[in-house]
Short mmCIF file of all heavy atoms in Angstrom, two decimals:
data_model
loop_
_atom_site.label_atom_id
_atom_site.label_comp_id
_atom_site.label_asym_id
_atom_site.label_seq_id
_atom_site.Cartn_x
_atom_site.Cartn_y
_atom_site.Cartn_z
N LEU Q 1090 19.41 43.43 -10.62
CA LEU Q 1090 17.97 43.26 -10.79
C LEU Q 1090 17.45 41.94 -10.42
O LEU Q 1090 16.43 41.70 -9.86
CB LEU Q 1090 17.60 43.58 -12.21
CG LEU Q 1090 16.14 43.52 -12.63
CD1 LEU Q 1090 15.41 44.64 -11.84
CD2 LEU Q 1090 16.00 43.82 -14.14
N TRP Q 1091 18.28 40.89 -10.68
CA TRP Q 1091 17.93 39.49 -10.27
C TRP Q 1091 17.95 39.35 -8.74
O TRP Q 1091 17.03 38.80 -8.24
CB TRP Q 1091 18.94 38.51 -10.86
CG TRP Q 1091 18.58 37.14 -10.62
CD1 TRP Q 1091 19.17 36.27 -9.66
CD2 TRP Q 1091 17.69 36.27 -11.17
NE1 TRP Q 1091 18.60 35.11 -9.59
CE2 TRP Q 1091 17.62 35.05 -10.61
CE3 TRP Q 1091 16.73 36.58 -12.26
CZ2 TRP Q 1091 16.80 33.99 -11.00
CZ3 TRP Q 1091 15.90 35.55 -12.61
CH2 TRP Q 1091 15.95 34.27 -12.05
N LEU Q 1092 18.87 39.96 -8.09
CA LEU Q 1092 18.89 39.89 -6.66
C LEU Q 1092 17.64 40.66 -6.09
O LEU Q 1092 17.06 40.19 -5.18
CB LEU Q 1092 20.16 40.60 -6.14
CG LEU Q 1092 20.28 40.79 -4.50
CD1 LEU Q 1092 20.28 39.46 -3.93
CD2 LEU Q 1092 21.56 41.49 -4.24
N LEU Q 1093 17.33 41.84 -6.70
CA LEU Q 1093 16.18 42.60 -6.25
C LEU Q 1093 14.84 41.69 -6.43
O LEU Q 1093 13.94 41.74 -5.50
CB LEU Q 1093 16.03 43.82 -7.09
CG LEU Q 1093 14.77 44.73 -6.82
CD1 LEU Q 1093 14.73 45.19 -5.37
CD2 LEU Q 1093 14.68 45.80 -7.74
N SER Q 1094 14.81 40.91 -7.46
CA SER Q 1094 13.57 40.00 -7.75
C SER Q 1094 13.53 38.99 -6.62
O SER Q 1094 12.38 38.69 -6.12
CB SER Q 1094 13.69 39.40 -9.08
OG SER Q 1094 14.69 38.37 -9.17
N ARG Q 1095 14.64 38.36 -6.25
CA ARG Q 1095 14.62 37.36 -5.16
C ARG Q 1095 14.20 38.00 -3.79
O ARG Q 1095 13.39 37.40 -3.05
CB ARG Q 1095 15.98 36.70 -5.04
CG ARG Q 1095 16.53 35.95 -6.16
CD ARG Q 1095 15.57 34.85 -6.57
NE ARG Q 1095 14.82 35.22 -7.81
CZ ARG Q 1095 13.77 34.54 -8.18
NH1 ARG Q 1095 13.38 33.48 -7.62
NH2 ARG Q 1095 13.22 34.91 -9.33
N ILE Q 1096 14.74 39.08 -3.49
CA ILE Q 1096 14.44 39.78 -2.18
C ILE Q 1096 12.86 40.19 -2.23
O ILE Q 1096 12.25 40.01 -1.16
CB ILE Q 1096 15.29 41.11 -2.06
CG1 ILE Q 1096 16.69 40.56 -1.88
CG2 ILE Q 1096 14.78 41.81 -0.83
CD1 ILE Q 1096 17.76 41.79 -1.74
N THR Q 1097 12.46 40.77 -3.32
CA THR Q 1097 11.10 41.24 -3.43
C THR Q 1097 10.11 40.03 -3.32
O THR Q 1097 9.10 40.07 -2.61
CB THR Q 1097 10.79 42.03 -4.76
OG1 THR Q 1097 11.73 43.09 -4.91
CG2 THR Q 1097 9.44 42.44 -4.78
N LEU Q 1098 10.39 38.95 -3.93
CA LEU Q 1098 9.56 37.70 -3.93
C LEU Q 1098 9.62 37.11 -2.60
O LEU Q 1098 8.57 36.60 -2.03
CB LEU Q 1098 9.98 36.73 -4.94
CG LEU Q 1098 9.67 37.03 -6.48
CD1 LEU Q 1098 10.33 36.10 -7.39
CD2 LEU Q 1098 8.17 37.12 -6.63
N ALA Q 1099 10.81 37.10 -1.88
CA ALA Q 1099 10.79 36.55 -0.46
C ALA Q 1099 9.91 37.39 0.40
O ALA Q 1099 9.13 36.92 1.23
CB ALA Q 1099 12.23 36.64 0.05
N ALA Q 1100 9.99 38.72 0.29
CA ALA Q 1100 9.08 39.62 1.04
C ALA Q 1100 7.59 39.35 0.76
O ALA Q 1100 6.74 39.34 1.71
CB ALA Q 1100 9.40 41.03 0.87
N ALA Q 1101 7.22 39.14 -0.58
CA ALA Q 1101 5.86 38.91 -0.98
C ALA Q 1101 5.32 37.66 -0.33
O ALA Q 1101 4.23 37.59 0.19
CB ALA Q 1101 5.82 38.92 -2.48
#
Side-chain angles (χ1 to χ4, degrees):
L1090 185 61
W1091 183 259
L1092 176 60
L1093 177 63
S1094 74
R1095 296 302 104 190
I1096 295 174
T1097 305
L1098 287 173

